[in-house]
Amino acid sequence: MPNQPPPTAKIATELIHHPYEAPAGFASVPPGVFKASTVIFEDTAALRTREWKDKSGYTYGLHGTPTTFVLEERLATLEGGKQAILAPSGLAAIALVGQSLLKTGDELLLPDNVYGPSREFARNELAQWGIATGFYDPMDVASLAAAITPRTKLVWLEAAGSVTLEFPDLPGLLRVIRQHADIVAALDNTWGAGLAFNPFDLGVPHPKTGNDTCGVDLTIHALTKYPSGGGDVLMGAIITRDEPLHLRLKLTHMRLGIGVGLNDVELVLRGLPSVALRYAAHDAAARQVAQWLAQRPEVSQVLHPALPGSPGHEHWAATCQGAAGLVSMVFDADRFSADRVDGFVEAMRLFRIGYSWGGPMSLVVPYKVQGMRRFGFLAGRSGSLVRLAIGLEDVGDLIADLDQAFQVLKAA
């Protein structure tokens, strides 16, 4: 019969619509990984009534699967919040906050030591949408108070500061913000990782509820760093405690069509159970390296929040239980040129040159001090700054590597 379909057509249909379902009751240590763009509905009533915003159901892959819901809930617990939203990177999470909460005519305030790409997003994308950006000295509460205007709708906090690692008076800054009920306080908590301190409980009265355990309104967390822990994932999250604020962010997230890969979600879920252990290991090693560097005559200043004398050490001591794995050191220009400092960086054998941190390998990046900061201890200075991201190698081996690089620096 010439019009009869080939046998393979029936096989294809049977494979797509196969009746077998695996039995329920399977349990394992890692959560299951559910990948989907299309989600199947049992009937049209479910199609029209199923709700994804409160995680009571599934409608489309971008709106969540069991795997993303599990990661979001665990991240909310880690950060001390109640809700979480996933983004493709930490910077994407920062951008989503700005796109959700700001409109033409509004103003954003950034700390002088803000994450560089966050500054660039504000200066470019937000600026072309008619949103102004101001800057304040994160180590001076009065500077923030003076910077706030009637247009200010969002204030970012950075603890510790990007690259320079100053630790601000977070409760003091929040008390200033809480004098203005319409300003959202946001924190980049990538350094703290939900482990150094709880940003939602900083003892500041809330202007509406009077709750004296209030902290920030939201955090972003670059899951690329400590939560994944492998140096192989790009992902970010926004954590909140306030349901209306969460929904506002979530609807923008939906309208922009933002999604994350389920294999990446799987990797972050795999890394989370060990994040506290790894964070403590990075922290302990970084403190040893910072203390050793503080004895080196070549270094004019060591920057690490747990090190006495580092900017904001007293605020860190009053707020934190941990200090992450970053250490920066400043070299004076009159002693060591930028080329010599670059040679010092290139002489390292275990520290590899590369951005990011939180993975097993130690990393190093040199920066030029001139123009880096308009406020604080580096304002108006020249020279070089070298940031170390301490990995999980033996700390004695790392110190030996630094020591041999210092020998190269002195001989240059």
Side-chain angles (χ1 to χ4, degrees), residues 26 28-35 65-68 70 74 262 265-266 269:
F26 178 82
S28 64
V29 173
V33 180
F34 296 85
K35 302 177 184 179
T65 72
T67 313
T68 58
V70 168
R74 293 187 182 187
L262 273 300
V265 174
E266 178 187 15
L269 281 168

Side-chain angles (χ1 to χ4, degrees), residues 114-265:
V114 71
Y115 175 53
S118 178
R119 182 194 304 262
E120 291 307 303
F121 172 73
R123 283 177 166 173
N124 291 277
E125 273 62 40
L126 292 183
Q128 72 178 355
W129 301 331
I131 297 166
T133 299
F135 293 88
Y136 68 93
D137 181 354
M139 305 306 290
D140 181 1
V141 171
S143 174
L144 175 60
I148 291 175
T149 74
R151 297 173 60 192
T152 306
K153 301 302 177 186
L154 176 64
V155 174
W156 275 102
L157 306 168
E158 199 95 7
S162 180
V163 181
T164 44
L165 300 176
E166 309 96 324
F167 202 93
D169 176 6
L170 285 175
L173 295 172
L174 283 166
R175 289 188 187 99
V176 170
I177 296 170
R178 292 309 175 208
Q179 296 174 20
H180 308 269
D182 59 342
I183 295 179
V184 173
L187 170 73
D188 186 330
N189 199 33
T190 303
W191 177 91
L195 296 163
F197 64 99
N198 187 336
F200 291 99
D201 290 313
L202 290 171
V204 178
H206 194 281
K208 295 179 181 178
T209 66
N211 185 347
D212 63 2
T213 64
C214 173
V216 300
D217 294 302
L218 67 87
T219 70
I220 75 96
H221 193 153
L223 309 178
T224 305
K225 273 72 170 181
Y226 293 116
S228 66
D232 55 358
V233 174
L234 289 168
M235 196 179 298
I238 305 169
I239 316 296
T240 54
R241 275 191 178 178
D242 180 76
E243 183 66 35
L245 177 60
H246 169 68
L247 185 59
R248 188 173 172 185
L249 294 160
K250 197 166 192 174
L251 289 174
T252 301
H253 183 274
M254 179 269 291
R255 288 188 290 262
L256 290 174
I258 293 175
V260 296
L262 273 300
N263 289 112
D264 291 339
V265 174

Side-chain angles (χ1 to χ4, degrees), residues 53-65:
K53 301 182 192 69
D54 60 1
K55 292 188 169 77
S56 62
Y58 306 100
T59 59
Y60 192 66
L62 277 176
H63 303 157
T65 72

Side-chain angles (χ1 to χ4, degrees), residues 303-326:
L303 307 175
H304 184 281
L307 190 69
S310 188
H313 167 73
E314 66 280 9
H315 301 312
W316 171 85
T319 304
C320 295
Q321 295 80 47
L326 299 179

Side-chain angles (χ1 to χ4, degrees), residues 288-302 329-331 335-336 344 399-410:
Q288 291 184 59
V289 170
Q291 291 165 2
W292 183 82
L293 289 172
Q295 308 304 313
R296 297 294 309 199
E298 302 89 348
V299 179
S300 66
Q301 190 171 9
V302 178
M329 47 185 153
V330 181
F331 295 89
R335 294 186 62 199
F336 301 106
F344 164 70
I399 288 174
D401 188 32
L402 288 166
D403 185 62
Q404 65 84 24
F406 275 115
Q407 305 311 313
V408 173
L409 175 68
K410 290 190 293 185

